[in-house]
Amino acid sequence: MYCLVRGGALVWRFWVSEGFWPPAEVFSKGGNGGCGLVRRGHWPRLGPCLFVMNKPLLRVSEVACARGGLTVLEGISFDVHAGTALILRGPNGSGKTTLLRTLAGLQTAVAGEVSVADETIAYAGHADGLKGTLTVAENLSFWASLFGFGAITPALGAFELSGLADRAAQSLSAGQKRRLGLARMLVTGRPVWLLDEPTVSLDVSAVALFGEAVKRHLAGGGVAVIATHIDLGIEAEVLDLSAFRAVAPRGGAFDEAFI
């Protein structure tokens, strides 16, 4: 969230995506009384202003989450500040997917609180979310229109899909489908990205493309929470979920599938 400040007074709160800033002269991190990101510029009819990003964009406080009626994680707390990323680690079945789904609001937390502004999350799970009979461009246009975002050309270019724009999604390779699925994130205009094993099916060059997309998103003031064991080449905090694993109940079956 950005706060438009003029003469020490709050004028307007708003979200902004990379490339949609008003004309500005200075962009800096730190040294701003803990405000985070500050951009100095002009807003039409208001004159000189400061555009201040509040933080954190995502706060998790003592969260516990469950799968299949059983609590699998508990006591999780962290903040994700503007321009930063958090990498979730842990062995299979440690609860990475369950936590991401809880953060995304796809399931409720058993305990604790997830604090994030409305209409700010973009979630990419294991499925690519594509319509096979639509072309690459048509799929992206659908998601762009759903989120009220216009241009798809930057997203096509970021994942080297421009040459495939007119190809039906059903005829793409697994890696190409994954690149298209990830390109959806760029047309949401949302600052909080939640990604579950995003590099599955990607080759080395495509992983690099994704890493660069995340870097640009962070540079624009967004945040990312990513479940992955792959080095994405980005600066990020790492949270190992093994330390937050809930104790399984005794005397019953415990199904760890997809947690």
Side-chain angles (χ1 to χ4, degrees), residues 223-255:
V223 304
V225 180
I226 308 170
T228 183
H229 293 281
I230 302 298
D231 182 5
L232 300 175
I234 63 174
E235 293 186 13
E237 296 291 329
V238 176
L239 180 65
D240 190 335
L241 296 185
S242 301
F244 302 96
R245 189 69 182 270
V247 178
R250 296 180 179 180
F254 184 57
D255 183 3

Side-chain angles (χ1 to χ4, degrees), residues 2 19 52 68 79 82 104 107 109 111 126 128 131 135 153 161 166-167 178 190 204 206 216 223 226-227 247:
Y2 290 81
V52 183
D79 289 346
Q107 62 184 67
H126 294 156
D128 294 319
K131 183 71 173 178
T135 66
T153 301
L161 293 167
D166 296 325
R167 183 178 297 185
R178 174 58 74 172
R190 295 193 168 184
V204 174
R216 288 191 295 271
V223 304
I226 308 170
V247 178

Side-chain angles (χ1 to χ4, degrees), residues 31 36 64 89 116 146 148 156 162 164 173 202 216 230 247 258-259:
R89 294 268 166 82
V116 62
L146 185 66
L156 289 170
S162 300
L164 301 172
S173 70
L202 296 184
R216 288 191 295 271
I230 302 298
V247 178
F258 301 111
I259 65 170

Side-chain angles (χ1 to χ4, degrees), residues 64-106:
C65 45
R67 176 73 181 183
L70 296 174
T71 300
V72 294
L73 291 169
E74 58 187 1
I76 302 175
S77 296
F78 58 81
D79 289 346
V80 188
H81 300 272
T84 66
L86 177 68
I87 302 297
L88 302 180
R89 294 268 166 82
N92 292 342
S94 61
K96 299 184 294 294
T97 294
T98 298
L99 176 59
L100 285 172
R101 287 177 55 84
T102 302
L103 300 182
L106 298 177

